[in-house]
Amino acid sequence: MSTPSIEYLPDAAVDSLLDENLRKLLCLCFTKPGDAVFKQRRYFHEPPGHRWLMRDDTGMAIAHIAVHEKYVVVEGKKYPIGGIAEVCVHPDHRGHGYVKQILAAIEVWLISHRVEYAVLFGNPKIYGSSGYQPVTNLFHDAEDGAGKPRFASVKAMIKPLTNRKWFTPEVYLPGLAF
């Protein structure tokens, strides 16, 4: 079996067949109770602008990553970020480095769009080998169990895509986590 190619497409270009295929893949990979949202839609909180995927010989998606164009605010100044989300690989295709390959392609794309940081919410044991580092100073808007707004610190991971280091003061990510 050869390595599948990486395919980029804007989320707006996802047709109904691919939408169904992506939702099946997401439901297979994300199994916590709150993840049931993927039965209805191909994103958790809000649609991403971009998607990268790999398909098998039959055209079915076997690896996928969504990217949100977001920004963070540090001391009143905005900085663009690439919000990495819905990272998944079909269980039958894990262990081939597909996530690492797709992340590398995404990072090239982000750099070409003058984005200096990629941000994700994930396991350091998984993403550390791709250069992502945990940070403790990222905050975003959230809701409590009753749906009331609150300000939350998140266990995020970042990867600087240029020489610029991550910020030391508090970093605010407007909106909900992606």
Side-chain angles (χ1 to χ4, degrees), residues 32-108:
K32 294 178 190 165
D35 296 336
V37 68
F38 293 125
K39 291 179 182 178
Q40 314 304 321
R41 61 184 192 228
R42 62 184 179 269
Y43 56 89
F44 200 79
H45 287 297
E46 61 186 0
H50 313 278
R51 295 186 182 274
W52 279 259
L53 61 125
M54 293 176 147
R55 300 180 197 237
D56 67 11
D57 295 336
T58 69
M60 298 299 286
I62 58 169
H64 168 269
I65 301 178
V67 176
H68 296 264
E69 290 184 69
K70 295 282 194 176
Y71 66 88
V72 293
V73 180
V74 180
E75 297 179 331
K77 187 171 180 191
K78 292 181 181 180
Y79 299 89
I81 64 163
I84 308 296
E86 286 98 39
V87 178
C88 60
V89 178
H90 189 285
D92 295 343
H93 297 273
R94 292 180 180 159
H96 299 288
Y98 293 163
V99 167
K100 202 173 272 197
Q101 292 172 44
I102 297 172
L103 283 173
I106 289 169
E107 291 158 9
V108 168

Side-chain angles (χ1 to χ4, degrees), residues 104-147:
I106 289 169
E107 291 158 9
V108 168
W109 186 88
L110 289 171
I111 291 167
S112 75
H113 287 81
R114 296 191 172 134
V115 175
E116 295 185 44
Y117 304 97
V119 178
L120 58 81
F121 306 101
N123 185 334
K125 291 178 184 175
I126 295 171
Y127 298 102
S129 64
S130 292
Y132 286 79
Q133 314 155 3
V135 295
T136 58
N137 63 338
L138 183 65
F139 296 84
H140 70 91
D141 299 313
E143 294 178 351
D144 65 14

